[in-house]
Amino acid sequence: MKYKCVVVDLDQTLLHKDKSLSDLTAAAFAQLETEIVVATGRAIVRTQRYAELIHARSMICTNGSIVYHQGQVIYRQELDSQKLTDLIEVLRKIEPVHITLFYPTEVYTTNEYFVKKGESLRLDLDHFNPHEIQRIFVVTSNHAAIQSINFSAYGMKAVPLSEDGDIFVITAQHVNKGNALKALCDHLSLNLKEVVAFGDDYNDLEMIQEAGCGVAMANAVPEILAAADQQTLSNDEDGVAVWLQKHRSDFA
């Protein structure tokens, strides 16, 4: 079967460690005539520039909580506002802790470092909008406190970031890039078998499993390497571009 869709994660997959996109990678995507999708943990404001560079018409953002096609929202999964408010009361008691709330186009944090850098707005935990929040970042060295919380009771889950074990990503329980990919394929009338997906981290697992061909980066975590159908070079070696060029004849 010929592939009609390429789905690619950004950090540690498409991008180099310095967050740059190589000329080789840009050229490889320019040659594609298939549907191109960016699937990332980032919000849209930090995704759109890269999507434009590789001519992606679709974006799966914040680990699959929202999907855009040609600028329109076609799928979203938000955190329950009341349960989120209750959970925040538990999280803020952890010591030490920084909390970051991700809305569709804005980010609020208690971490003054990112506020001063202009990357986020200041979060007041006594007065915040509990609606339309798509995910939460909790930064703490107190892992025992996080592990003691029954996130499923709030309809949520917490997953640590592989590159920093003190960062926990909280999303709705059924949010993942795989479910978002299925929703996008339904919208585009694509068969999942016609999709090739590239990833490296835990949040790419369901996407790698759902795609007709899941490709792991050489720098991927063991779970992704085990789940993938194929493997390519690392992100700093332009593994995505190298694979696309090698398999050019496999695309419709």
Side-chain angles (χ1 to χ4, degrees):
M1 178 176 288
K2 295 284 188 178
Y3 300 121
K4 296 181 180 179
C5 180
V6 176
V7 185
V8 61
D9 173 51
L10 288 180
D11 298 292
Q12 306 302 316
T13 298
L14 188 73
L15 306 180
H16 288 184
K17 285 182 181 178
D18 63 1
K19 308 303 180 186
S20 65
L21 182 78
S22 73
D23 291 340
L24 180 66
T25 295
F29 277 91
Q31 294 171 359
L32 291 176
E33 297 181 0
T34 57
E35 188 71 38
I36 300 170
V37 182
V38 171
T40 178
R42 297 177 179 222
I44 187 173
V45 292
R46 297 183 62 235
T47 302
Q48 205 153 16
R49 177 169 69 92
Y50 294 110
E52 291 170 356
L53 288 174
I54 63 170
H55 313 288
R57 298 196 306 160
S58 302
M59 293 177 287
I60 296 172
C61 294
T62 51
N63 288 333
S65 65
I66 191 164
V67 180
Y68 302 87
H69 178 66
Q70 294 185 316
Q72 301 298 313
V73 176
I74 64 164
Y75 171 88
R76 71 165 73 219
Q77 290 286 318
E78 297 166 355
L79 300 175
D80 181 274
S81 59
Q82 184 56 59
K83 291 180 180 178
L84 182 144
T85 301
D86 294 340
L87 178 61
I88 291 293
E89 289 304 306
V90 175
L91 293 173
R92 67 186 299 181
K93 295 175 182 176
I94 298 173
E95 294 184 358
V97 70
H98 282 301
I99 298 172
T100 303
L101 305 181
F102 290 81
Y103 297 84
T105 59
E106 295 178 321
V107 180
Y108 287 79
T109 185
T110 61
N111 192 327
E112 284 296 317
Y113 173 78
F114 293 107
V115 173
K116 290 177 180 177
K117 283 187 69 177
E119 295 184 4
S120 304
L121 299 170
R122 183 174 287 104
L123 173 61
D124 180 351
L125 289 174
D126 292 317
H127 303 92
F128 68 93
N129 178 10
H131 302 287
E132 295 190 335
I133 295 173
Q134 296 171 329
R135 65 172 176 171
I136 306 169
F137 269 19
V138 177
V139 182
T140 181
S141 57
N142 191 347
H143 296 188
I146 292 292
Q147 292 164 359
S148 70
I149 299 173
N150 180 11
F151 287 95
S152 62
Y154 299 92
M156 303 178 202
K157 62 182 179 181
V159 179
L161 284 183
S162 63
E163 64 261 37
D164 189 336
D166 287 344
I167 300 178
F168 297 86
V169 183
I170 300 171
T171 63
Q173 199 162 18
H174 300 296
V175 162
N176 61 64
K177 293 182 184 181
N179 285 337
L181 177 59
K182 286 191 285 187
L184 178 61
C185 285
D186 286 344
H187 182 78
L188 299 177
S189 298
L190 283 172
N191 189 320
L192 282 164
K193 293 180 179 179
E194 300 171 321
V195 176
V196 56
F198 297 85
D200 74 289
D201 210 346
Y202 301 111
N203 63 345
D204 298 315
L205 180 60
E206 292 86 356
M207 176 178 77
I208 291 290
Q209 293 171 329
E210 291 290 349
C213 180
V215 183
M217 311 304 292
N219 52 286
V221 297
E223 288 82 349
I224 296 299
L225 290 169
D229 301 296
Q230 297 187 31
Q231 183 177 326
T232 188
L233 301 177
S234 73
N235 60 313
D236 281 332
E237 297 171 298
D238 295 316
V240 174
V242 170
W243 193 96
L244 290 175
Q245 290 177 336
K246 182 179 178 181
H247 295 267
R248 199 185 286 178
S249 62
D250 294 335
F251 289 87

